[in-house]
Amino acid sequence: MDTVEAGTSHDGRPELLVLRALKLGDLLVAVPALKALRRAFPEHRLRYAAQGWLSEALGLVGGYDLLPTHGLDEPLSPEPGVVDIAVNLHGSGPESQERIEALKARQTIGHRSAYGDGPPWCPELHERERWVRLLQWHGIEADPLDLRLNAPHVPSPVPGAAVLHVGAAYGSRLWPAERFAAVASRLAQAGHHVVFTGGSGEKERAADVCARAGLPDTAVLAGKLSLAEFAATIAAARLVVSADTGAAHLASAYGTPSVVLFGPAPPEIWGPPPGPHLVLTKAELRLGDTFAAQPDPALLAVDVKDVLAGVRELGLL
């Protein structure tokens, strides 16, 4: 069996491993930190520990290999001592800290914990700011607005479309289907080419919204696009209307005009950067239960007129 020097990969380069075993939006808000690490450690092999389906999205960041990792329920696969630098971009809790500590890396970059020094965790920080601040504390230059992704390697199937991303991971973020339909109908009347996106589990919801809007079923792209095609669709869109999901974060990364509907999550922590992006919510009504089955009141308080006014403010209606 080949032997590998501690802290190096099989190709002889030292290895840097980032733990962030979360979803697409979580990857996208970490892009400024990931790019800063790539600049700071150009001689290292870079790996990103997350779910395998994120591979295409990680390719849009560039420079990282995916280490398939299903959350924190299993140990990270590298043997102790293989990783030279371990970076905890997952969180500050004992579960992620223990996974990082088990790697026995030469250097660990993380928040202050029982295992090592670092900046204290500040819950009020925006996610982009949080991870940039972490790296800055450890002496690595980083810019929270350095969030652009590489161009997708596939073309958009619907360049210039108005994309309504009607799904969300949790019921707390699901804006009512009839409201999405009303927005879609008005945008179509104004001359927009409207399409409906979502994951494979959101095809029925997208088809329902499409039918309510009186649009042809060819407008339903939910469940039909690869992750790269989805990114290309957002990158080449004229407009994106979405809840606080990966679609909204892709719109931020590509500078695509967007109207983002926030429910349980505060936009101060998860919202878009400066640019052609509008946030709609009623913060005073927020319950903040991400895992609730029903839409958060802060989301339900946003009506069709609010969204259309946002599109109008962007100069697209």
Side-chain angles (χ1 to χ4, degrees), residues 210-274:
C210 182
R212 289 172 185 258
L215 296 177
D217 57 12
T218 53
V220 178
L221 301 183
K224 300 178 180 179
L225 304 176
S226 69
L227 196 48
E229 289 170 331
F230 176 52
T233 298
I234 299 296
R238 188 179 180 198
L239 168 69
V240 173
V241 180
S242 170
D244 171 32
T245 66
H249 294 294
L250 280 170
S252 295
Y254 287 116
T256 302
S258 62
V259 177
V260 187
L261 289 67
F262 271 81
E268 296 80 12
I269 294 178
W270 290 97

Side-chain angles (χ1 to χ4, degrees), residues 19-20 33 86-94 96-98 100-101 108-138:
L19 172 63
R20 192 164 174 80
V87 185
N88 187 352
L89 297 189
H90 190 98
S92 66
S96 63
Q97 292 169 351
E98 288 168 5
I100 289 289
E101 181 65 16
T108 296
I109 296 173
H111 284 85
R112 187 175 302 164
S113 74
Y115 297 110
D117 204 4
W121 182 268
C122 293
E124 70 276 7
L125 286 178
H126 194 287
E127 279 290 292
R128 288 187 301 274
E129 296 278 357
R130 180 187 320 287
W131 306 114
V132 162
R133 172 177 173 269
L134 169 66
L135 298 189
Q136 290 171 338
W137 190 97
H138 286 276

Side-chain angles (χ1 to χ4, degrees), residues 10-32:
H10 280 276
D11 64 5
R13 288 181 295 165
E15 185 163 309
L16 181 149
L17 177 65
V18 174
L19 172 63
R20 192 164 174 80
L22 298 164
K23 299 182 185 297
L24 176 60
D26 304 284
L27 164 63
L28 297 176
V29 294
V31 165

